Amino acid sequence: MNNITTPAIKVIKADTSKLKDVDFNNLAFGANFTDHMFECDFKDGEWQTPTIKPYGNLVMSPAAKVLHYGQAVFEGMKAYKDDNGDVHLFRPQQNIERINKSSKRMAIPEFPEEIMMEALKQLVALDKDWVQPGRGNSLYIRPFVISTQVGVSASPSNAYKFMIIMAPVNAYYTGDVRVVIAEEYSRSADGGVGAAKAAGNYGAQFYPTNLAKEQGFDQVIWTDSNEHKYLEEAGTMNVFFRINDTLITAPTSDRILDGVTRKSVLKLAERAGINTEVRKLTVTELVDAAKAGELKEIFGSGTAAVISPVSAFSYKDVVYDIDKQDDSYATKFKNDLMDIQYNVSEDPFSWRVKI
């Protein structure tokens, strides 16, 4: 292997590439990983030498605290290749700030922002051939932090590992989804870690989501844990509701993730002159709007799926179908976002970061 040292990041290049072994037309989401990964350990009270190295397995003690107390956070972001072969990140500073916010909530030391940004740029540049052209194709980027101190005492770790791994992906959802509104289970609670991208938030969703799938639905729209009265998120996404021509989404809080795509949709809606309301929306209001024919759309927003339209929702065993709209906001925002991400249109917000 060739060792190259930069002022900030040590780079160890892989001898050979796995690129030729990947069928890019048949990718399982997040199952095939690029040739390199980023790694940096925290010990003795400080972050050590940041390193890009060949992708490979970790050797870890069975007593590592992450395995016992779930002290782990992560992010999800993407790189896109335009028609000129140039690669761009989409709003990476937002993800950098949010993983540190998540880390703080989970008692994990924050990672230096400037090193994280440089790591992202160098890692994507090194594996840029893994970013496939074409709308819907992208490189999914997963930064994460785990606690690695050996010991099973119930206390914050004094050692951590920050990593970035990357996987080429196709479109996450290819069609509309059907959802059930939660009446018993909750994604998060007041004072909890719902606003953090903590690993345990997602593991706890799997069981109620499986129950929804057994009923023929794809995802759950989560409600508040106190009364199951207010609509909050959809699966692992933020959620929007179009009632007549007003777009409504829940305000962020310590229960609701401050989604990058969510913020981008709100900006695009403002620029398009679409009326938006960031407020609590009750299940009763949603059902009444559906019955009155005023509910035009529901869609989720997130990095993986971008925009995911909802074709029907169920509440108290009653299914409410949602007709497709000729002037669909979901379609408009998805196209607007992807035009910016793939460098097809202007970027009035300076969201693109060219590698």
Side-chain angles (χ1 to χ4, degrees):
M1 295 181 180
N2 301 316
N3 290 283
I4 304 171
T5 302
T6 68
I9 298 174
K10 180 180 179 181
V11 179
I12 307 171
K13 288 188 176 181
D15 288 331
T16 59
S17 175
K18 302 172 292 185
L19 194 62
K20 63 182 183 303
D21 300 323
V22 178
D23 181 359
F24 285 95
N25 295 317
N26 295 286
L27 293 172
F29 192 94
N32 299 275
F33 294 93
T34 66
D35 294 320
H36 298 91
M37 64 185 187
F38 175 80
E39 182 179 73
C40 188
D41 290 312
F42 182 91
K43 63 181 181 179
D44 300 327
E46 61 183 9
W47 291 102
Q48 305 298 305
T49 303
T51 304
I52 290 174
K53 60 194 291 188
Y55 181 90
N57 294 335
L58 300 178
V59 177
M60 184 181 297
S61 167
K65 285 200 172 187
V66 66
L67 303 176
H68 301 269
Y69 302 112
Q71 204 182 2
V73 298
F74 69 95
E75 268 300 321
M77 51 198 302
K78 285 181 177 178
Y80 306 85
K81 182 169 283 185
D82 65 22
D83 291 339
N84 298 318
D86 294 323
V87 176
H88 304 264
L89 298 174
F90 181 73
R91 306 192 75 178
Q93 186 63 36
Q94 295 289 319
N95 298 95
I96 289 171
E97 293 173 3
R98 192 170 63 183
I99 196 170
N100 276 336
K101 183 179 178 182
S102 297
S103 293
K104 185 175 181 179
R105 180 61 182 85
M106 296 298 291
I108 295 170
E110 297 174 45
F111 195 80
E113 290 188 6
E114 64 278 6
I115 299 178
M116 200 185 314
M117 181 67 83
E118 185 61 24
L120 286 166
K121 290 179 177 179
Q122 289 196 35
L123 186 60
V124 173
L126 191 59
D127 283 345
K128 66 180 181 180
D129 290 342
W130 288 79
V131 190
Q132 296 296 291
R135 207 170 180 91
N137 297 323
S138 59
L139 186 67
Y140 187 79
I141 305 169
R142 170 54 59 89
F144 64 99
V145 193
I146 59 173
S147 55
T148 55
Q149 180 186 350
V150 176
V152 294
S153 60
S155 60
S157 177
N158 62 19
Y160 298 89
K161 187 180 290 291
F162 179 94
M163 300 191 71
I164 305 173
I165 56 177
M166 307 190 301
V169 294
N170 305 134
Y172 193 68
Y173 291 119
T174 55
D176 295 356
V177 298
R178 291 163 49 86
V179 300
V180 59
I181 293 177
E183 300 175 48
E184 178 182 357
Y185 297 99
S186 297
R187 176 188 178 274
S188 60
D190 291 339
V193 296
K197 284 187 77 72
N201 287 350
Y202 297 80
Q205 292 186 29
F206 296 154
Y207 175 68
T209 302
N210 283 344
L211 295 180
K213 290 180 177 179
E214 289 174 3
Q215 300 174 45
F217 296 91
D218 303 292
Q219 275 293 354
V220 177
I221 290 185
W222 306 104
T223 50
D224 67 289
S225 60
N226 297 324
E227 303 175 87
H228 294 290
K229 178 179 178 181
Y230 297 103
L231 298 153
E232 297 198 333
E233 292 192 342
T236 59
M237 300 178 288
N238 295 115
V239 62
F240 287 84
F241 306 90
R242 177 185 174 186
I243 296 179
N244 292 318
D245 289 330
T246 297
L247 194 63
I248 304 169
T249 192
T252 56
S253 65
D254 59 6
R255 298 189 314 277
I256 297 176
L257 188 71
D258 188 13
V260 177
T261 310
R262 171 189 176 275
K263 287 188 284 191
S264 303
V265 167
L266 289 172
K267 277 290 187 183
L268 290 169
E270 178 186 354
R271 185 168 182 261
I274 293 171
N275 185 45
T276 60
E277 295 179 2
V278 179
R279 65 172 176 87
K280 292 183 176 181
L281 180 70
T282 66
V283 180
T284 299
E285 186 177 353
L286 179 71
V287 170
D288 289 346
K291 290 179 177 178
E294 297 172 349
L295 177 64
K296 305 301 183 183
E297 292 181 83
I298 302 175
F299 59 87
S301 67
T303 297
V306 187
I307 300 293
S308 184
V310 173
S311 61
F313 73 91
S314 172
Y315 181 64
K316 293 191 179 299
D317 298 323
V318 177
V319 176
Y320 300 86
D321 291 314
I322 303 172
D323 295 332
K324 287 186 178 296
Q325 303 296 310
D326 292 334
D327 63 340
S328 166
Y329 287 179
T331 300
K332 171 181 171 50
F333 293 135
K334 184 169 186 176
N335 287 335
D336 288 350
L337 279 169
M338 293 180 77
D339 282 350
I340 293 173
Q341 290 166 341
Y342 288 92
N343 195 22
V344 173
S345 70
E346 63 173 326
D347 179 12
F349 309 103
S350 299
W351 286 342
R352 280 193 301 262
V353 174
K354 186 176 179 180
I355 298 301

